[in-house]
Amino acid sequence: MEPESGISTHRNPPKLSWVNVSKNLILAYQSFGVVYGDLSTSPLYVYTSTFKGKLKSQSLNEETIFGAFSLIFWTLTLIPLLKYVLIVLSADDNGEGGTFALYSLLCRHAKFNLLPNQQAADEELSSYKYGPSSLSVASSQLKNFLEKHKRLRTTLLIVVLFGACMVIGDGVLTPAISVLASVSGLQVTEKKLTDSELVLLACVILVGLFALQHCGTHRVAFMFAPIVIIWLISIFCIGLYNIIHWNPKIVRAISPHYIIKFFSDTGVHGWVSLGGVLLCITGTEAMFADLGHFTALSIRLAFVCVVYPCLVVQYMGQAAFLSKNLQKVPETFYDSIPEPVFWPVFVIATLAAIVGSQAVITATFSIIKQCHSLGCFPRVKVVHTSKHIYGQIYIPEINWILMILTLAITIGFQDTTMIGNAYGIACMTVIFVTTFLMALIIIFVWQKNILLAAVFLLFFWFVEGVYLSAAFMKVPQGGWVPLVLSCIFMVVMYVWHYGTRRKYSYDLHNKVSLKWLLGLGPSLGIVRVPGVGLIYSELATGVPAIFSHFVTNLPAFHNVLVFVCVKSVPVPYVSPEERFLVGRICPRPYRMYRCIVRYGYKDIQRDDGDFENQLIQSIAEFIQMEAVEPQFSTSDSASFDGRMAVISTRTLRSNSSVIVSEQEDLSGNAIQSSKSLTLQSLQSVYDDENPQIRRRQVRFQLNLNPGMDPAVREELMDLIQAKEAGVAYIMGHSYVKARRSSSYLKKLVIDIGYSFLRKNCRGPSVALNIPHISLIEVGMIILCLVL
């Protein structure tokens, strides 16, 4: 029956639209506490930093104030509103944003990637989205030119890492300037605090902020959005009051005419003051970097409808106040607050500063983790602070390093203007790098005309270059801090990346010959005992050289051997259904397999205690799939290694012969394991000492199918029995050393720098969440001679 009047045919679409609207409104609300904490607290120190020095003493008048506000207005309009909201937010990597997201997109659309152990199978990931290529002739020539020269690809990676280092610098500078600027309001009260007392109070707040990082932001996240919203409403109302009360003519300053007049009146001093003006956009990069937690529409809604108008009105109000109170520059924000609401605004300002600092610290942890995924940062311990919110992490070593550096800067400078000089360079450098990467995105990913990319690059680089040049004029007045910090982190990243690549290159060229393994026979010339041995290696193909040392030096080896390679791929996340690549190394009697575990650069390697079970399930599924699918039926021994299959542990075949069940009896007690009593006792102690790791006790059983191939049944039974006997994690150590003929620089990098980082960073077992109770570390020394 046809619907009457067509009413029913239009009910569902509006309902779906309303769901999407409500979802984005909720996400927009949540984004205030995570994305805009830093940007919204900039009014605390922008005018103070702008009118510092000779500009304050020589050229400060009403026209100058109007020109400064006009600069702030157009800076907010061109960079956050035009560039980020309208353009950059559209360049997401499967919903993720940030510098690494842009680099990942470029690596998937051109051969820019420098990560080792990459495979063709990685391009088949659902999140890879390589897409058809329809580049113009000029774009194709540029692409081929960049792909051909390794130095250019290395330069691109260095640019990305330099931007990441500046974000780490933000993690040091943001808490210092935000907290110090918020508590500086106590100097305008009747009982003024001295500079030393103010710094002491700021340090106490900072120590408390970093000390609570291990709790995770999720515990106080519900407070973040209301605090920032109340703060934005407060500064909007105060700004509106100041406009009406002090100087309504300030509205005219929106005209760019006042910018021209500002520079004609102030000259060089006006150009130098741009280093303070650019502080109005600090925190802008968070709009793109935190895109993965929200949607582009929600971030756009929050900025356009709330953040942008509130900030414009506040800056306009401060300018109106200053135009009639020229002597109030040192504490512009707090002096412009009406006395009856001073203390409530002060409390809200302090809380908002803490919220903004918290968001930047969390982002720094994420950046460090992403650098590690790219092989550009030493191994660190990553702690998951939330079981429900994905991506909430805490890195103890980085947290305490940030705290020490932040306290040193706060105590050393004791001045928001000098810290602001450093802060401005760090933020503008990140924005500058983003513009460069976006130009490449326009060419290679969006596949637009190369002239359009050139116009985008030249326009925004001109605007940002003017600000960046002014910021670099203040290097002697504190601007050197982010440069020094970035250089230190860059050296660490380069040394670790270079040493890791050279070690991988050595392992790749010194693999164990498959003919040698086949010559040993299925027993490998040693005793094969019950159990599963997981041998960790960075190689995605072949058998590492260290395995020959295992065979020749260990008296016995496990009946089932699995070579495990945990690697990163240039996508933000890898779905669990595509995480495992499983294959066979030698013929069936050898019981030797390979499992490649793939993670994206934003994936978290959670230690949920179920890795062993998922691995055994994957191998069992591979064994069954190999028996029925023709592409695995070849008898050529040389072709075994390299043939891999994607195995999903969530969607195993319904006719699988391996049954997985919880290892409990009818009374809910654990079934007796085949492990020895001593091993069971040690396992119990380990579980008691690590209550956060709840390992699933499961039992594998073989469903006897009369039609099953006897060889397949025997192999599955061996796998299940080996799992019941126990799983051991086997890792070897190698010592990397430069050749005597190498240059002094390479000897310095490898023998001193890389060796120092390897000895002082977390061990591979900690980074890979390997349980110590099951770990076997073989202390073999292999000299990986680096040219």
Side-chain angles (χ1 to χ4, degrees):
M1 181 180 295
E2 294 183 0
E4 290 184 21
S5 304
I7 296 176
S8 61
T9 61
H10 299 285
R11 286 181 179 175
N12 288 334
K15 184 176 180 181
L16 293 174
S17 299
W18 171 248
V19 170
N20 292 331
V21 169
S22 60
K23 175 186 175 182
N24 281 289
L25 288 176
I26 293 173
L27 289 174
Y29 166 77
Q30 294 173 343
S31 70
F32 287 108
V34 177
V35 177
Y36 296 112
D38 187 14
L39 183 62
S40 65
T41 54
S42 298
L44 289 170
Y45 43 77
V46 169
Y47 280 110
T48 301
S49 299
T50 301
F51 294 112
K52 199 79 171 182
K54 295 182 179 179
L55 184 64
K56 175 184 175 182
S57 58
Q58 298 180 5
S59 307
L60 193 59
N61 53 50
E62 182 175 296
E63 295 295 325
T64 305
I65 301 294
F66 279 35
F69 166 71
S70 187
L71 278 168
I72 292 172
F73 171 78
W74 285 105
T75 303
L76 279 171
T77 302
L78 289 177
I79 296 181
L81 184 61
L82 178 61
K83 176 185 168 183
Y84 276 85
V85 171
L86 297 182
I87 302 175
V88 176
L89 285 178
S90 300
D92 64 289
D93 181 13
N94 294 291
E96 295 295 328
T99 305
F100 283 100
L102 298 178
Y103 181 68
S104 173
L105 278 174
L106 290 172
C107 288
R108 298 208 301 276
H109 288 77
K111 296 178 181 178
F112 297 156
N113 195 6
L114 292 177
L115 283 176
N117 63 27
Q118 298 301 294
Q119 300 169 287
D122 298 336
E123 299 182 12
E124 298 176 5
L125 291 168
S126 59
S127 57
Y128 206 91
K129 290 184 180 178
Y130 195 86
S133 178
S134 58
L135 296 176
S136 63
V137 176
S139 299
S140 298
Q141 291 176 347
L142 177 61
K143 176 184 175 183
N144 295 333
F145 179 75
L146 294 175
E147 290 177 345
K148 183 179 179 181
H149 295 82
K150 185 179 178 181
R151 289 186 177 180
L152 294 178
R153 290 183 283 127
T154 303
T155 302
L156 178 63
L157 178 62
I158 291 174
V159 169
V160 172
L161 293 179
F162 186 69
C165 290
M166 284 296 182
V167 174
I168 298 173
D170 282 350
V172 175
L173 297 169
T174 299
I177 191 171
S178 297
V179 174
L180 190 59
S182 65
V183 300
S184 64
L186 295 175
Q187 288 189 321
V188 303
T189 59
E190 294 181 0
K191 298 180 180 179
K192 293 184 178 180
L193 294 181
T194 63
D195 290 342
S196 300
E197 293 172 338
L198 205 67
V199 170
L200 179 61
L201 177 59
C203 288
V204 170
I205 295 175
L206 289 171
V207 170
L209 176 64
F210 283 100
L212 293 175
Q213 288 301 308
H214 71 280
C215 298
T217 57
H218 68 283
R219 299 187 185 277
V220 290
F222 70 96
M223 294 176 55
F224 284 7
I227 288 173
V228 176
I229 290 174
I230 294 172
W231 164 253
L232 287 170
I233 293 174
S234 300
I235 62 175
F236 177 84
C237 295
I238 293 171
L240 191 61
Y241 167 81
N242 286 328
I243 294 170
I244 298 172
H245 180 73
W246 292 106
N247 195 348
K249 295 180 181 179
I250 188 64
V251 178
R252 300 175 184 173
I254 292 177
S255 171
H257 165 74
Y258 285 89
I259 297 178
I260 300 173
K261 196 170 184 180
F262 174 83
F263 285 115
S264 64
D265 292 342
T266 59
V268 177
H269 302 315
W271 170 62
V272 173
S273 71
L274 292 178
V277 173
L278 67 85
L279 294 179
C280 70
I281 57 173
T282 53
T284 299
E285 185 65 23
M287 295 168 62
F288 186 49
D290 294 327
L291 181 59
H293 298 287
F294 308 97
T295 62
L297 179 58
S298 64
I299 292 178
R300 286 175 173 135
L301 283 173
F303 182 80
V304 174
C305 299
V306 180
V307 178
Y308 179 74
C310 288
L311 289 177
V312 169
V313 171
Q314 168 57 208
Y315 286 120
M316 188 182 293
Q318 283 195 50
F321 172 81
L322 269 181
S323 65
K324 302 300 181 182
N325 300 273
L326 299 178
Q327 73 283 2
K328 298 290 187 178
V329 167
E331 295 294 340
T332 306
F333 176 78
Y334 283 109
D335 282 328
S336 67
I337 300 174
E339 188 174 350
V341 296
F342 175 84
W343 287 109
V345 172
F346 171 78
V347 173
I348 296 171
T350 304
L351 294 175
I354 294 174
V355 169
S357 302
Q358 173 65 56
V360 173
I361 294 170
T362 303
T364 304
F365 294 154
S366 179
I367 285 289
I368 294 292
K369 195 268 173 192
Q370 293 172 32
C371 290
H372 171 65
S373 298
L374 283 174
C376 298
F377 202 85
R379 292 180 294 268
V380 291
K381 182 179 181 180
V382 179
V383 180
H384 314 289
T385 59
S386 174
K387 295 180 180 179
H388 308 290
I389 303 177
Y390 192 84
Q392 290 290 341
I393 60 175
Y394 164 68
I395 304 177
E397 301 97 322
I398 302 300
N399 182 65
W400 303 124
I401 290 174
L402 290 179
M403 187 189 76
I404 292 172
L405 292 174
T406 301
L407 291 176
I409 289 173
T410 304
I411 296 172
F413 287 149
Q414 301 186 13
D415 180 22
T416 57
T417 300
M418 294 190 70
I419 301 176
N421 294 338
Y423 192 27
I425 290 180
C427 292
M428 189 51 68
T429 302
V430 176
I431 294 174
F432 200 75
V433 169
T434 300
T435 302
F436 170 69
L437 295 177
M438 272 302 304
L440 297 179
I441 292 291
I442 293 173
I443 298 172
F444 299 124
V445 180
W446 293 352
Q447 300 179 0
K448 301 296 183 182
N449 193 298
I450 196 171
L451 293 178
L452 181 64
V455 171
F456 171 85
L457 181 66
L458 293 176
F459 175 76
F460 283 105
W461 259 14
F462 172 76
V463 175
E464 295 160 5
V466 172
Y467 284 105
L468 196 59
S469 62
F472 272 105
M473 291 297 295
K474 298 188 177 182
V475 168
Q477 292 84 37
W480 55 269
V481 171
L483 300 177
V484 171
L485 290 177
S486 296
C487 288
I488 293 174
F489 280 106
M490 277 293 295
V491 168
V492 171
M493 289 180 180
Y494 173 77
V495 169
W496 184 262
H497 180 72
Y498 179 77
T500 301
R501 285 187 60 85
R502 298 309 304 172
K503 180 180 179 299
Y504 177 82
S505 178
Y506 174 87
D507 291 338
L508 189 64
H509 290 89
N510 292 273
K511 296 185 293 186
V512 173
S513 170
L514 190 59
K515 291 183 179 180
W516 179 77
L517 278 178
L518 295 174
L520 295 176
S523 66
L524 298 179
I526 55 178
V527 179
R528 302 290 291 269
V529 298
V532 179
L534 303 183
I535 304 172
Y536 277 78
S537 168
E538 295 179 358
L539 294 179
T541 58
V543 178
I546 202 168
F547 181 70
S548 62
H549 292 264
F550 291 163
V551 173
T552 55
N553 289 275
L554 294 179
F557 233 127
H558 298 83
N559 188 38
V560 175
L561 295 178
V562 183
F563 289 85
V564 180
C565 172
V566 179
K567 72 172 190 177
S568 296
V569 290
V571 296
Y573 301 103
V574 176
S575 66
E577 291 79 8
E578 300 175 304
R579 192 172 305 285
F580 289 94
L581 269 176
V582 180
R584 192 187 295 278
I585 291 182
C586 290
R588 179 172 288 156
Y590 285 73
R591 304 294 192 259
M592 295 176 64
Y593 311 94
R594 180 186 308 285
C595 180
I596 298 176
V597 189
R598 301 179 292 184
Y599 289 95
Y601 60 85
K602 279 205 150 187
D603 266 324
I604 306 298
Q605 300 181 28
R606 291 184 182 273
D607 188 6
D608 54 8
D610 206 33
F611 175 75
E612 296 175 5
N613 301 325
Q614 293 177 356
L615 183 62
I616 299 302
Q617 282 182 270
S618 300
I619 296 174
E621 180 68 13
F622 170 78
I623 293 171
Q624 298 172 78
M625 184 179 67
E626 183 186 38
V628 298
E629 299 197 10
Q631 63 266 34
F632 292 100
S633 60
T634 178
S635 59
D636 184 8
S637 300
S639 66
F640 275 104
D641 190 23
R643 292 183 304 162
M644 310 290 290
V646 178
I647 304 296
S648 171
T649 57
R650 287 189 175 183
T651 57
L652 293 179
R653 296 185 308 169
S654 58
N655 60 344
S656 178
S657 300
V658 177
I659 302 174
V660 183
S661 59
E662 296 290 337
Q663 195 171 349
E664 293 181 351
D665 56 21
L666 296 177
S667 303
N669 300 317
I671 295 175
Q672 183 67 31
S673 172
S674 60
K675 297 178 183 178
S676 66
L677 293 176
T678 302
L679 187 57
Q680 291 184 49
S681 176
L682 290 173
Q683 182 68 53
S684 177
V685 172
Y686 176 80
D687 291 340
D688 292 340
E689 292 178 351
N690 298 270
Q692 73 277 11
I693 303 175
R694 305 302 301 173
R695 301 188 177 277
R696 283 181 62 211
Q697 300 297 323
V698 303
R699 188 172 190 177
F700 294 88
Q701 295 177 321
L702 184 61
N703 184 16
L704 296 179
N705 184 357
M708 181 182 293
D709 186 341
V712 174
R713 182 187 298 112
E714 180 184 358
E715 187 173 8
L716 290 174
M717 285 299 300
D718 287 347
L719 179 65
I720 293 173
Q721 291 173 2
K723 173 62 172 68
E724 289 297 315
V727 178
Y729 297 76
I730 304 167
M731 304 193 75
H733 292 286
S734 59
Y735 178 70
V736 183
K737 186 176 179 63
R739 291 185 184 272
R740 292 184 178 180
S741 58
S742 300
S743 64
Y744 287 106
L745 179 60
K746 290 185 177 180
K747 289 181 180 179
L748 178 66
V749 170
I750 297 296
D751 296 345
I752 298 178
Y754 185 67
S755 298
F756 174 81
L757 292 176
R758 276 176 62 95
K759 291 177 182 177
N760 291 277
C761 70
R762 297 278 183 171
S765 60
V766 177
L768 295 171
N769 295 317
I770 295 176
H772 296 292
I773 189 66
S774 305
L775 177 63
I776 300 176
E777 293 186 278
V778 182
M780 307 288 182
I781 297 179
I782 301 177
L783 295 179
C784 301
L785 300 178
V786 176
L787 293 175

